Amino acid sequence: MEKQTIHSNYFYLLIKINYQSITKEKLELIVREMITKCYGQTGIVASDTKILSYNFKDSTFILRCLKGSLSSIWAAVSLFYVYETHPCILEIIKVSPWLLPLSNPDRFSISKKSPFSNNNNNNNNNNNNNNNNNNNNNNNNNNNNNNNNNNNNNNNNNDDNNNNNEGIMME
């Protein structure tokens, strides 16, 4: 049996859109105008783009395009900045020849944080607090030792002064 490699004819782009009010219909118009501004009507036909999904919560969408037109679509996304006299910023988050890495929210999400990050921060804070407490205890012990040494030195100095005073007669 001969080994075969599976190649995709399409590329999938995860794109974040920053526009005032967006609907699925308006998003399709934005993509159409984006390609038309750069490449005209032939660009729309040649690129064979399609919006596969739109996430309203993250303002992201997945755009499918032909493998051969990836660089053209990427350029059109990068150069597009205004729609109907309003600023419209498109940012490519991730590109893949396979849909799975883009569609699975557990594998990649721009709004979720790692569930382990909070636990690590709490553990680090607890460790830091324990270290601070240990350092404070060590400082207190050092201060007590220094106070004891100072008291001993003062007593020794007083004894020396008393010994010196013994040899001098007061009138």
Side-chain angles (χ1 to χ4, degrees):
M1 180 175 228
E2 191 176 322
K3 291 184 181 180
Q4 294 181 351
T5 304
I6 299 173
H7 295 284
S8 174
N9 292 332
Y10 294 100
F11 265 86
Y12 303 92
L13 295 88
L14 179 65
I15 301 173
K16 182 175 176 77
I17 185 166
N18 187 1
Y19 189 70
Q20 59 188 3
S21 62
I22 193 83
T23 62
K24 180 130 175 140
E25 294 78 25
K26 191 175 269 189
L27 183 60
E28 290 174 1
L29 292 173
I30 288 173
V31 169
R32 180 174 284 278
E33 185 174 324
M34 170 187 72
I35 297 168
T36 305
K37 276 187 175 182
C38 283
Y39 304 106
Q41 290 297 324
T42 56
I44 291 173
V45 174
S47 64
D48 189 26
T49 58
K50 182 178 180 183
I51 297 172
L52 298 180
S53 68
Y54 179 68
N55 186 347
F56 288 99
K57 189 173 85 172
D58 288 344
S59 297
T60 58
F61 63 97
I62 296 176
L63 181 68
R64 183 189 74 185
C65 69
L66 284 174
K67 184 179 183 178
S69 63
L70 174 65
S71 59
S72 301
I73 297 300
W74 199 316
V77 168
S78 299
L79 295 172
F80 192 74
Y81 63 93
V82 68
Y83 180 72
E84 295 178 344
T85 68
H86 298 290
C88 181
I89 300 168
L90 300 171
E91 177 185 2
I92 296 176
I93 304 295
K94 193 171 185 181
V95 178
S96 175
W98 310 109
L99 190 55
L100 184 62
L102 303 180
S103 63
N104 188 347
D106 292 335
R107 291 186 73 179
F108 181 79
S109 176
I110 59 173
S111 64
K112 290 171 91 176
K113 292 190 178 182
S114 171
F116 303 109
S117 65
N118 290 339
N119 293 340
N120 287 340
N121 287 342
N122 289 340
N123 288 341
N124 288 341
N125 287 341
N126 289 339
N127 287 341
N128 286 342
N129 288 341
N130 288 340
N131 288 341
N132 286 342
N133 288 340
N134 288 340
N135 287 342
N136 287 341
N137 288 340
N138 288 341
N139 287 342
N140 288 341
N141 289 340
N142 287 342
N143 287 343
N144 288 341
N145 288 341
N146 287 342
N147 287 342
N148 289 341
N149 288 342
N150 286 342
N151 287 341
N152 288 342
N153 287 342
N154 286 342
N155 288 342
N156 290 342
N157 286 343
N158 287 342
D159 289 344
D160 289 343
N161 286 342
N162 288 341
N163 290 340
N164 290 341
N165 287 342
E166 288 174 12
I168 300 175
M169 285 191 84
M170 301 293 264
E171 296 181 311

